[in-house]
Structure formats: structure tokens, C-alpha cells
């Protein structure tokens, strides 16, 4: 990918259109909704990974016919961020990664905006760049954020001003030094993961409209409309009631459409042309550098056990490559810190989890939120340790896995789980222990296993709200602020409401799109939290509506509420066997005797949920009463073949089992398991590659390897375990992200079982495997 001297990436222009049946002419979809006042924009991006901005000249761009405005960071002092407010909307005094927005051009057409962006002249003074997070923590490394000590930060994030460390989370549990003396066997290794991209089919697109009265409306493909409103409002000084975010269903998110990426740029450009909606659409090439990526990670792991395989000690250092801005990424390092051991009972632990500034694109949320990264090394080191102590990998995990009420690494008691049952189910599914013949003489076959845990990684008090509203015919509208990403959140919300209200599911509709002006509050659609948190809110709202209905009918019949229920849209009395349809009464109420007045009225249920029991952790030890709301655990086993002539992996079977608490919709769980298995497999193959200038060299589907239908395993076996938790709706918890957390190490463990080679670095590309096989063969000769 090349940024021209004008700072443009991907200069193609594409617009969706339909054909008007009367005129036969093309009508742009945008024009239908927004009219002829719609303007278009492009961003001017930095061609340097680290440089001072000495001068910006916009005069030639402004002189071009059709250009309405050019905005730059030199006109803004705003910073934004979710946990650490470190990120400018447009770079002002320096750029910190290749592709960082420096200016924005607004014009009457996208073609003119592209042309004008080439005319913006920017003078840079290049500075030394740093890319490796281990190198970036060294005292001699270039300092990327000299003002780190002045940034606002959440009270549970601990940056180290004067360094490139934006977060340092510590675990100090037990007596690590004496524990090593008791270990009969020790395994130690370093593991690396590259950055990878979310690659949603729908690229980031926003349209912003700034009215002359100061009100701003932003249409955005977003997982986090309320968080987006909050960050942009605070950064730009807009009252929250003057900023409206409308978020239709999202065409692929995976964490990449959480928080704020390019949407604030659209708002700033719209403010420069009041009364005109301004569209900002990223090209596919821009998607790889102009949004966010999964952070890279270097893991140093040392673990020891006694002669019987019981874990005694673990020492870890995680270096997360957070990229140029770590406003979201700091919480990934924190989550990795308080879950650093993986789902194992380890009495003595020393861990340091660091989020580190580098001159790569912004590292942020991605499906799994730090857990795929740390499990890559954890699950391989456990196999190494099991081999040294001569234990079967599955048995080693059964022996050491965390159980209900165990005191885990953060000092809290483990919430109800049954990880052993998950291990049993996946090993049975792939005939663990049975040696299978490969399908061809030039292939080797192997099996591997990996287990995982993940908690919702979020602040201690993220809230959910819901409204349940009846219509005259007893149909129901459920209003929520959680987003539909294809994971089925609307389906689950409708199911919960229907079950509580006693009405058929087909009569329940979830209102959309999500609109911060009208929708109830939802923190974000992240962390696999909607079934749990939003589900609790919907359940509470439906219970509120149900209570209103039953009280009205009980008063009308002069009966006790406890003798009534609602089934199939009818209020039924167990005592008198009377029935009352919900139709009309849920709006108009019921008449008193002889129609002397009425009782009841429009039924609107309201509910909310917020966890109130999560506590702070000691900043020096990471210990506390309750670090998280709960954990979801699971196991995955893989049966694969390796082609010795090409290094190509062929995954024959993946078995995945997770403890979901309570399965509200088993079919949706299975779709998550199937999609997650493929997504996790893809993450083992993917890698965003950069040249020495910090420039991505594979920013397209031609060069960026993702799993396709040709890679899908021959068989995906999914199942679940139900161990209800105390704080979920009917005991349910989320399972959306967990399904891909441990796939890559399960594949690596199976690969070792097949060919006897360990791979500590991702990706598991065919050429890397082939070269390793060739080297091993040469050594054996």
C-alpha cells in the first residue's frame, strides 16, 4: 500500500445506485435519504510512521472548484479515548503512524474530494520510529507520547509517564521465588503474535450532519453508539443531548466498530459546512490502516509443576504492541493481566502485563479482547510441561483446570463453571487417544487440545436499559440500545421478553435502528455481554410490564395476583379459571363495574441492569474481592493433517464445547461455535505485514490471508455445558467471543503431535511449516 505525496490511500471511488423505474436513470442511494445537499469527503494521511508536522498549506485545495472546506488538526485541541484520552481526531503537531489522518477535505463529489486531497501540502520532519513492543519499553527507545502524564485516564489504568508504557498491570500472588525450588519440572518460552485486521465486509462509513442550531446527527456503522456519542461529545464539547448517533445493523464488527475510529473526523468536517450532511467512506486499503487492528503480543512465559503434574508456579510478562494510540488497548492489557494464567489453578504467580506505544496502527478491541493473544502461548506451554512430566495433555488439563469456588489468580472466588465436562466432551468428540491414519502417504496426522477462559472486560459499572411497550393488538415492541451484529442479540431480546410476558415470540419486535435519541442506554455491544447484561434489563422490563398487567386484572377480578399467570396472550386464573385476552386491555385498560370508570392503561415496562459488585484490584498485587462479573470457560480439540510436500494444514475436525450457564437459544450458540471455529482457525493464518517504514504491504484480500470456504474443517462438532451463574437471566452468560480464543494453539498442539515441531510465532503459514519440516529433515540426516 502506498500513500502518495498527497496523503491518499486507495483512490478508487465506488457508489451504490439503483435505477429509477420511471426515468430509467441511476439514482444514488445516498441522494434518496439525504438529498442533493450531501457532500463527500476524503482524509489526507501521513506518509510517515513518526514525524513532526511543520507546516500545512490548504490553499490549493480550497481553490479547487467544488471544494467546500478543508479541516486540519491545527484547528483542534480535542483528544478522545475510552479509558485513556490520548488520541487526536486529526494529528496536530506530530504523526505517530503511517496513515494517520492529518487533514480532511469536503467537496460536492467524492471525485473532487480525492483530487483536492492531493493538493493539500504538508511539510514533515521525520523522527525515529519504534515497532517492537519489547524494544519500545527500553530506556533508549524514542518517546512517542511525551505528554502521557497529562492525559486523563480511568482510575484502574496505570500508565508510566516518561516511558512508552500506557498500562502496567501487575499480579503478585503467593511466594513465587520459593515455589520455583519446589518445582520438579519447568517449561519456559517466548511466543509472538502479529497484528491482524477485523476485515469486515462492510468498510467503515459515516455520514454526519451539523445543524446551524448546534445539533449534530451522526449515522455510523457502530457497535457502540452510546460510547461513540459520549467520546465525541466530550472531545468536541458538544452537549450529549445535542449529539445524536444512529446506528443501523452492522455489516461485520468483531470489535473493529467499537469505540471511535474515523467517525469523529466526519463530525468535524460536517461542522465546517453546517446544514450539509457529509459522507466519509473508507476504502478497503484504508480499512487496514485507518481504523484499528488487533494488538501484537510478545509473551514470556515460565511455568513449573511438581513430579505429579500439579502446577506450582507461573511467571509471565506480556508486551502488547498497542500501536500509536492506546485509548482502548490499555484495557486489553489489563484484562490479560487479571486473567494471565488462563483457566488454571496456580498458587504462585508473578505477572506483568504491559500495553506499549509503537509506531504501528492503533491497536484496539478485537473478538476475544486479549484472550486469543495470551492463550496462544499459555496453551502451548502447558503441552510442553505435560510432555516433560509424562502426562497426557488432556489429563494434565483435567488435573489443573480451575473449578467453582477456587481462588483464582486475582484473589476472587471462581464463579460457577464446569470446565472438566467441556474437556470430556471435546476429547470424546474427536476420539482423543486413538491414533488415526492419514489420508495419503505424504501426510502426517495429529490431534491437539486447548482450553480457555474469558470474562467480560469492561469497567466495573457498565449499564444496560430496556423498554417493553405493548400495542393495541397485544404485539410488543422491545426497545434496547444493544446492537445486532449478526450474533442474534435481537433474537435473544425478543425471546426473553416473550417468555416473561407469556406471549408468542412472533408477536415481539425489537425496534431498530439503534438511535441514542430514542433508544434506551447500552454501554457497548462488546465483551460478549448482551445476553447477560442487556438480557437482564429486558427481563426486568418485561417483568415490570407483566406486573402491571396482572395487577390490573387481579383488581378487575378481585383476585390475588399470585393466582394469575399469562400464557399465549391470555391472562389466566388458576383459582377461578377465568381468561382475559391482552388485546386492547394493554392500551385501554379494563372497565369498572357498569363502566363507572376504568383501571390500567398503556402498558410500558422499564428495566435496567448494572453490576454493583465488581471491586478494585490492588495496583501492586492485582488482588481483590471480585475482579470481574464472571467467566465463561471452554475446550477445543482439533484433528488435522499436514502435507509434508507443501506444509499445508488441512483441519479435519474441530470440536468445541463451552459452559454457557443456561442456553437461551441453542441454535444461536451452535452458529457462534461454527463461525468461531473458522474465525479462530483464520487467526492462525493471518498476519498484517509492514515494511521498514511502518507501511502495510498486504492491505487487500489478494495479499491478506483469511480463511475461506475452502479452509472450513470437514466437521465442526459443537456442544455446550450448562452451569447457571447467579447474575445472568436464568443463569445465562455470553459465548460470542470465546469460541475462537483457543483455536490457534489447539492447531499448533495438533501440528506438534503430527510432525514434532513447535511453532512459537504466528502465522502458521504453509511456507513456514514447509521450511521447518525441511530443516528438521536436514537435521535428521
Amino acid at each position: 500500500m502506498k500513500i502518495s505525496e498527497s496523503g491518499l490511500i486507495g483512490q478508487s471511488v465506488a457508489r451504490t445506485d439503483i435505477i429509477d423505474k420511471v426515468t430509467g436513470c441511476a439514482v444514488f442511494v445516498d441522494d434518496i435519504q439525504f438529498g442533493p445537499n450531501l457532500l463527500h469527503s476524503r482524509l489526507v494521511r501521513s506518509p510517515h510512521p513518526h514525524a513532526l508536522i511543520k507546516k500545512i498549506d490548504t490553499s490549493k485545495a480550497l481553490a479547487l472548484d467544488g471544494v467546500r472546506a478543508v479541516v486540519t488538526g491545527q484547528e483542534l485541541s480535542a483528544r478522545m479515548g475510552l479509558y485513556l484520552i490520548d488520541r487526536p481526531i486529526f494529528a496536530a503537531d506530530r504523526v505517530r503512524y503511517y496513515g494517520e489522518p492529518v487533514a480532511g477535505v469536503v467537496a460536492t463529489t467524492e471525485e473532487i474530494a480525492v483530487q483536492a486531497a492531493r493538493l493539500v501540502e504538508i511539510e514533515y520532519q521525520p523522527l525515529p520510529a519504534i515497532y517492537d513492543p519489547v524494544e519500545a519499553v527500553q530506556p533508549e527507545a524514542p518517546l512517542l507520547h511525551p505528554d502521557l502524564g497529562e492525559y486523563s485516564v480511568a482510575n484502574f489504568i496505570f500508565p508510566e509517564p516518561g516511558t512508552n508504557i500506557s498500562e502496567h498491570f501487575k499480579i503478585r500472588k503467593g511466594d513465587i521465588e520459593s515455589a520455583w525450588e519446589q518445582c520438579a519440572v519447568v517449561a519456559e518460552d517466548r511466543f509472538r503474535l502479529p497484528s491482524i485486521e477485523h476485515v469486515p465486509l462492510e468498510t467503515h462509513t459515516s455520514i454526519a450532519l451539523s445543524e446551524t442550531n448546534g445539533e449534530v446527527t451522526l449515522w455510523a456503522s457502530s457497535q457502540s453508539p452510546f460510547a461513540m456519542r459520549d467520546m465525541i461529545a466530550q472531545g468536541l464539547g458538544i452537549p450529549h443531548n445535542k449529539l445524536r448517533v444512529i446506528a443501523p445493523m452492522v455489516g461485520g464488527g468483531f470489535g473493529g466498530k467499537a469505540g471511535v475510529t474515523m467517525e469523529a473526523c466526519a463530525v468535524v468536517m460536517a461542522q465546517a459546512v453546517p446544514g450539509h450532511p457529509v459522507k466519509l467512506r473508507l476504502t478497503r486499503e484504508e480499512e487496514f490502516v485507518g481504523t484499528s487492528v488487533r494488538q501484537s503480543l510478545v509473551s514470556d512465559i515460565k511455568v513449573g509443576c511438581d513430579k505429579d503434574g500439579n502446577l506450582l508456579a507461573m511467571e509471565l510478562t506480556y508486551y502488547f504492541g498497542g500501536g500509536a494510540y492506546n485509548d482502548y488497548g490499555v484495557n486489553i492489557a489489563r484484562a490479560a493481566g487479571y486473567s494471565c494464567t488462563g483457566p488454571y489453578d496456580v498458587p504462585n504467580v508473578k505477572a506483568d502485563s504491559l500495553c506499549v506505544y509503537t509506531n504501528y496502527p492503533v491497536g484496539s478491541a478485537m473478538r476475544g479482547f486479549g484472550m486469543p493473544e495470551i492463550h496462544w502461548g499459555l496453551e502451548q506451554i502447558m503441552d510442553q510441561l505435560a510432555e516433560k512430566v509424562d502426562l497426557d495433555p488432556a489429563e494434565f488439563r483435567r488435573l489443573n483446570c480451575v473449578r467453582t469456588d477456587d481462588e483464582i489468580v486475582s484473589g476472587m472466588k471462581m464463579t460457577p463453571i464446569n470446565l472438566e465436562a467441556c474437556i470430556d466432551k471435546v476429547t470424546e468428540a474427536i476420539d482423543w487417544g486413538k491414533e488415526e491414519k492419514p489420508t495419503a502417504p505424504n501426510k502426517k496426522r495429529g490431534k491437539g487440545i486447548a482450553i480457555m477462559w474469558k470474562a467480560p472486560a469492561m469497567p466495573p459499572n457498565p449499564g444496560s436499559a430496556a423498554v417493553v411497550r405493548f400495542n393495541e393488538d397485544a404485539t410488543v415492541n422491545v426497545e434496547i440500545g444493544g446492537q445486532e451484529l449478526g450474533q442474534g442479540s435481537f433474537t435473544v431480546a425478543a425471546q426473553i421478553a416473550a417468555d416473561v410476558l407469556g406471549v408468542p415470540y412472533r408477536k415481539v419486535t425489537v425496534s431498530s435502528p439503534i438511535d441514542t435519541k430514542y433508544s434506551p442506554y447500552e454501554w457497548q455491544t462488546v465483551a460478549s455481554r448482551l445476553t447477560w447484561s442487556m438480557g437482564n434489563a429486558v427481563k426486568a422490563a418485561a417483568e415490570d410490564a407483566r406486573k402491571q398487567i396482572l395487577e390490573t386484572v387481579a383488581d378487575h377480578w378481585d383476585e390475588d395476583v399470585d393466582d394469575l399467570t399469562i400464557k399465549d396472550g391470555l391472562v389466566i386464573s388458576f383459582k377461578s379459571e377465568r381468561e382475559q385476552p391482552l388485546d386492547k386491555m394493554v392500551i385501554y385498560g379494563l372497565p369498572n363495574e357498569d363502566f363507572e370508570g376504568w383501571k390500567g392503561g398503556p402498558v410500558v415496562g422499564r428495566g435496567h441492569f448494572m453490576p454493583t459488585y465488581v471491586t478494585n484490584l490492588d495496583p501492586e498485587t492485582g488482588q481483590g474481592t471480585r475482579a470481574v462479573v464472571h467467566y465463561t470457560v471452554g475446550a477445543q480439540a482439533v484433528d488435522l493433517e499436514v502435507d509434508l510436500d507443501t506444509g499445508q494444514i488441512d483441519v479435519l475436525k474441530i470440536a468445541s464445547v463451552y459452559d454457557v450457564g443456561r442456553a437461551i437459544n441453542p441454535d444461536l450458540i451452535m452458529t457462534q461455535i461454527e463461525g468461531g471455529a473458522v474465525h479462530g482457525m483464520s487467526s492462525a493464518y493471518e498476519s498484517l505485514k509492514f515494511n521498514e517504514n511502518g507501511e502495510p504491504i498486504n492491505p487487500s484480500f489478494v495479499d491478506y490471508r483469511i480463511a475461506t470456504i475452502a479452509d472450513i474443517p470437514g466437521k465442526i462438532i459443537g456442544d455446550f455445558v450448562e452451569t447457571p451463574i447467579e447474575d445472568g437471566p436464568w443463569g445465562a452468560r455470553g459465548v460470542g467471543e470465546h469460541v475462537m480464543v483457543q483455536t490457534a494453539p489447539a492447531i499448533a498442539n495438533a501440528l506438534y503431535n503430527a510432525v514434532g515441531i513447535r511453532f512459537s510465532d504466528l502465522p502458521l503459514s504453509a511456507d513456514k511449516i514447509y521450511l521447518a519440516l525441511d530443516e528438521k529433515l536436514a537435521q535428521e540426516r
Side-chain angles (χ1 to χ4, degrees):
M1 176 174 66
K2 278 291 181 187
I3 295 180
S4 64
E5 292 184 4
S6 62
L8 281 174
I9 298 178
Q11 299 172 18
S12 62
V13 177
R15 296 178 67 178
T16 303
D17 60 278
I18 59 177
I19 302 299
D20 186 287
K21 292 182 179 179
V22 176
T23 65
C25 298
V27 179
F28 295 122
V29 172
D30 293 337
D31 292 342
I32 294 174
Q33 181 171 356
F34 297 100
N37 281 339
L38 178 70
L39 300 177
H40 299 266
S41 64
R42 290 301 294 266
L43 299 177
V44 181
R45 299 180 179 274
S46 167
H48 301 284
H50 194 200
L52 296 178
I53 299 173
K54 306 301 291 184
K55 182 182 178 182
I56 302 178
D57 186 350
T58 63
S59 58
K60 292 181 181 178
L62 287 168
L64 184 66
D65 188 37
V67 172
R68 296 298 180 86
V70 179
V71 299
T72 71
Q74 295 179 334
E75 301 152 12
L76 293 168
S77 60
R79 288 196 196 100
M80 293 187 307
L82 189 62
Y83 300 103
L84 174 66
I85 302 179
D86 68 345
R87 188 174 180 180
I89 298 172
F90 289 97
D93 56 347
R94 74 166 73 193
V95 292
R96 294 180 172 90
Y97 69 97
Y98 180 97
E100 181 168 5
V102 181
V105 176
V106 182
T108 52
T109 69
E110 194 168 2
E111 293 85 351
I112 295 173
V114 168
Q115 185 180 355
R118 296 193 184 102
L119 300 176
V120 176
E121 298 176 350
I122 305 172
E123 180 185 337
Y124 297 96
Q125 179 183 323
L127 297 172
I130 190 84
Y131 303 118
D132 185 278
V134 178
E135 295 176 6
V137 302
Q138 305 306 315
E140 66 273 14
L143 194 61
L144 303 191
H145 285 262
D147 299 330
L148 176 58
E150 299 175 15
Y151 297 162
S152 297
V153 61
N155 67 351
F156 49 82
I157 301 297
F158 303 104
E160 297 184 356
T163 75
N164 287 319
I165 299 172
S166 58
E167 160 68 346
H168 185 175
F169 186 90
K170 303 174 186 176
I171 288 286
R172 304 291 186 266
K173 182 186 180 187
D175 186 350
I176 189 70
E177 296 305 325
S178 64
W180 291 122
E181 299 172 4
Q182 302 170 37
C183 293
V185 175
V186 173
E188 187 172 6
D189 209 343
R190 169 172 281 189
F191 301 88
R192 286 181 176 269
L193 289 92
S195 292
I196 62 176
E197 232 292 315
H198 306 83
V199 291
L201 288 181
E202 173 202 45
T203 63
H204 281 67
T205 302
S206 292
I207 296 177
L209 171 63
S210 179
E211 305 282 7
T212 54
N213 62 4
E215 293 185 358
V216 176
T217 303
L218 173 63
W219 292 262
S221 177
S222 173
Q223 297 178 227
S224 315
F226 285 93
M228 180 178 289
R229 179 188 66 172
D230 183 43
M231 284 186 277
I232 295 176
Q234 289 194 53
L236 294 176
I238 304 171
H240 284 65
N241 67 339
K242 296 288 188 181
L243 176 56
R244 178 185 180 188
V245 178
I246 301 173
M249 290 186 186
V250 175
F254 315 111
K257 291 174 182 173
V260 176
T261 54
M262 46 68 88
E263 297 83 7
C265 295
V267 172
V268 170
M269 289 187 286
Q271 287 179 321
V273 287
H276 290 268
V278 175
K279 180 178 180 180
L280 176 59
R281 178 191 61 86
L282 298 193
T283 64
R284 176 58 61 187
E285 292 82 2
E286 284 181 297
E287 194 73 22
F288 280 87
V289 71
T291 57
S292 62
V293 298
R294 189 176 81 177
Q295 295 177 317
S296 65
L297 177 65
V298 178
S299 303
D300 289 334
I301 307 176
K302 179 182 178 183
V303 61
C305 65
D306 64 19
K307 62 182 178 58
D308 297 318
N310 296 291
L311 288 171
L312 296 177
M314 186 180 287
E315 192 166 343
L316 316 99
T317 305
Y318 294 144
Y319 302 91
F320 281 92
Y325 301 101
N326 296 175
D327 63 300
Y328 213 139
V330 289
N331 200 41
I332 298 173
R334 182 176 188 268
Y338 60 64
S339 298
C340 62
T341 59
Y344 295 97
D345 183 10
V346 190
N348 304 284
V349 183
K350 178 186 177 185
D352 295 274
S353 186
L354 310 174
C355 190
V356 184
Y357 287 120
T358 67
N359 291 114
Y360 277 150
V362 178
S364 190
M366 188 173 184
R367 192 178 190 181
F369 205 78
M371 296 302 102
E373 295 93 299
I374 68 171
H375 282 75
W376 165 245
L378 286 170
E379 284 306 289
Q380 288 198 75
I381 204 79
M382 291 303 173
D383 258 32
Q384 294 178 36
L385 197 62
E387 184 178 29
K388 287 188 174 187
V389 80
D390 197 26
L391 273 177
D392 174 84
E395 285 303 317
F396 183 85
R397 287 169 171 82
R398 288 189 186 97
L399 176 66
N400 290 290
C401 70
V402 68
R403 293 168 171 81
T404 302
D405 289 335
D406 280 354
E407 183 182 294
I408 60 174
V409 62
S410 63
M412 73 174 273
K413 282 190 175 182
M414 186 63 185
T415 51
I417 56 158
N418 191 347
L419 184 49
E420 285 178 278
C422 298
I423 297 172
D424 292 343
K425 282 175 175 283
V426 297
T427 52
E428 180 183 354
I430 70 160
D431 294 322
W432 182 265
K434 178 183 177 182
E435 188 171 341
E436 310 271 4
K437 292 182 179 180
T439 59
N442 67 325
K443 293 184 177 182
K444 292 282 189 177
R445 190 162 177 176
K447 296 178 181 180
I449 188 172
I451 61 177
M452 60 74 62
W453 71 352
K454 184 188 181 299
M458 55 193 187
N461 58 338
S464 299
V467 174
V468 169
R469 180 170 50 82
F470 272 92
N471 302 307
E472 291 86 344
D473 60 354
T475 56
V476 180
N477 286 92
V478 176
E479 298 168 5
I480 55 176
Q483 184 60 285
E484 178 59 69
L485 311 174
Q487 81 281 39
S489 60
F490 284 10
T491 300
V492 168
Q495 277 188 267
I496 291 173
D499 190 85
V500 172
L501 294 170
V503 300
Y505 170 80
R506 68 180 183 276
K507 287 199 166 188
V508 181
T509 300
V510 177
S511 300
S512 65
I514 307 303
D515 185 335
T516 59
K517 187 172 182 178
Y518 300 109
S519 301
Y521 178 82
E522 183 65 58
W523 177 62
Q524 293 195 81
T525 302
V526 297
S528 303
R529 58 184 290 278
L530 285 198
T531 294
W532 164 73
S533 182
M534 184 191 74
N536 275 327
V538 171
K539 186 169 180 282
E543 287 169 345
D544 181 30
R546 177 187 176 92
K547 180 173 179 286
Q548 295 173 42
I549 293 168
L550 293 181
E551 287 179 348
T552 297
V553 176
D555 184 28
H556 184 64
W557 287 344
D558 193 23
E559 294 193 24
D560 195 312
V561 168
D562 294 337
D563 291 329
L564 307 182
T565 191
I566 309 175
K567 186 175 182 180
D568 294 329
L570 296 173
V571 180
I572 301 170
S573 170
F574 300 120
K575 184 177 180 181
S576 65
E577 298 186 356
R578 284 188 284 187
E579 295 181 355
Q580 171 62 54
L582 296 181
D583 293 37
K584 295 185 173 53
M585 72 142 291
V586 288
I587 295 295
Y588 305 123
L590 293 170
N592 295 330
E593 188 174 354
D594 297 327
F595 291 90
E596 294 292 329
W598 292 75
K599 57 178 65 70
V603 175
V604 179
R606 297 173 177 84
H608 72 274
F609 174 77
M610 185 184 79
T612 57
Y613 36 81
V614 175
T615 62
N616 274 339
L617 303 179
D618 186 284
E620 294 302 319
T621 66
Q623 301 301 291
T625 305
R626 187 150 181 178
V628 298
V629 290
H630 58 254
Y631 278 90
T632 298
V633 298
Q636 206 165 49
V638 170
D639 181 4
L640 58 73
E641 287 184 331
V642 185
D643 189 318
L644 302 180
D645 295 332
T646 65
Q648 186 69 41
I649 294 172
D650 184 12
V651 178
L652 305 176
K653 293 180 187 176
I654 293 182
S656 304
V657 180
Y658 298 88
D659 191 335
V660 302
R662 177 72 182 274
I664 290 178
N665 189 314
D667 288 342
L668 285 178
I669 292 171
M670 295 308 299
T671 61
Q672 287 296 318
I673 284 174
E674 291 167 2
V678 177
H679 192 182
M681 187 176 66
S682 186
S683 73
Y685 308 148
E686 295 178 40
S687 176
L688 187 55
K689 301 179 186 297
F690 300 87
N691 65 15
E692 67 281 354
N693 193 43
E695 171 190 351
I697 60 174
N698 59 333
S700 74
F701 288 149
V702 174
D703 300 313
Y704 184 84
R705 167 84 161 99
I706 59 174
T708 68
I709 195 167
D711 300 295
I712 291 176
K715 194 171 186 180
I716 300 175
I717 305 162
D719 202 352
F720 53 83
V721 172
E722 292 182 289
T723 308
I725 55 174
E726 70 276 10
D727 64 341
W730 299 289
R733 58 183 146 217
V735 71
E737 297 171 273
H738 313 79
V739 290
M740 56 88 64
V741 164
Q742 77 276 42
T743 314
I747 291 172
N749 288 338
L751 188 56
Y752 176 78
N753 180 245
V755 300
I757 301 174
R758 281 279 169 206
F759 293 87
S760 58
D761 299 358
L762 284 175
L764 296 176
S765 59
D767 59 330
K768 180 188 289 186
I769 295 169
Y770 173 79
L771 292 172
L773 288 167
D774 190 55
E775 182 180 347
K776 183 185 179 187
L777 184 62
Q779 291 173 351
E780 291 173 349
R781 284 174 181 161

